[in-house]
Amino acid sequence: MARIFITGATGWIGRHLVPKLLERDVQLFALVRNGPGDLPLGVTPIQGDLSEPGLGLSDADRRTLDVRRLDHVFHLAALYDMVATEADLTAVNVEGTRRLLELLDGFQGVLHHASSIAVAGDFDGRFGEDDLDRRQRFPSPYHRTKHASEKLVRESGL
């Protein structure tokens, strides 16, 4: 049985991915801010918040999750709001990713990070997996924070 942790389980991608994961032999944990909300049966809610140190997990939830025993982590959570303040976007998209990566100390599984075309910024041309830094500019704080988040994940080695 695979052990999976997911952020953004109730977001647009998560709402489609979670049912597919539950079709498999998995133990699925989902980071939630305000209770289980719309999580389907079979998902264990882990109360926390990307904007908090250690994702705000209780000691009990940290033990339940046990990152050393996870097989996969899906990081889907992000603030997608083109008019949000740079501070709010940074808190979720950059610092939230940084905090997740810190929590994953000792994790030996596979990290699946939902990227965005926003990482390409204003780059004009074909932009592939090896093109994260092409001296592109970023037309909005959203673009900058998604690029910074992607860079953190790539530099983490996970």
Side-chain angles (χ1 to χ4, degrees):
M1 174 180 292
R3 290 172 47 87
I4 300 172
F5 179 50
I6 184 171
T7 69
T10 60
W12 193 85
I13 296 172
R15 286 193 317 263
H16 293 86
L17 177 61
V18 166
K20 296 291 185 190
L21 292 173
L22 289 172
E23 291 174 2
R24 300 168 181 250
D25 186 21
V26 299
Q27 185 174 17
L28 187 56
F29 304 91
L31 184 71
V32 296
R33 273 185 300 193
N34 302 314
D38 295 333
L39 290 178
L41 291 174
V43 179
T44 302
I46 300 291
Q47 187 75 35
D49 190 319
L50 286 173
S51 67
E52 298 292 325
L55 302 187
L57 301 186
S58 69
D59 289 339
D61 278 344
R62 192 180 298 270
R63 284 189 300 275
T64 297
L65 191 58
D66 190 359
V67 299
R68 294 165 295 150
R69 295 182 49 228
L70 290 172
D71 298 296
H72 295 271
V73 172
F74 289 86
H75 182 38
L76 310 178
L79 178 56
Y80 177 71
D81 185 340
M82 298 302 285
V83 297
T85 67
E86 186 155 8
D88 287 343
L89 287 160
T90 298
V92 175
N93 297 347
V94 180
E95 295 308 315
T97 298
R98 184 185 322 275
R99 288 182 174 113
L100 174 65
L101 293 170
E102 289 168 356
L103 177 75
L104 294 179
D105 183 42
F107 172 65
Q108 297 295 310
V110 178
L111 174 62
H112 309 270
H113 176 250
S115 187
S116 167
I117 189 60
V119 304
D122 67 355
F123 182 78
D124 186 17
R126 186 179 177 137
F127 194 88
E129 285 295 315
D130 297 326
D131 294 324
L132 186 60
D133 290 312
R134 295 295 300 258
R135 296 185 183 169
Q136 68 270 39
R137 291 184 311 264
F138 303 101
S140 75
Y142 174 75
H143 289 80
R144 281 191 296 280
T145 61
K146 289 305 290 181
H147 181 270
S149 172
E150 179 80 13
K151 193 169 185 174
L152 285 172
V153 169
R154 289 183 183 211
E155 290 173 351
S156 77
L158 291 177

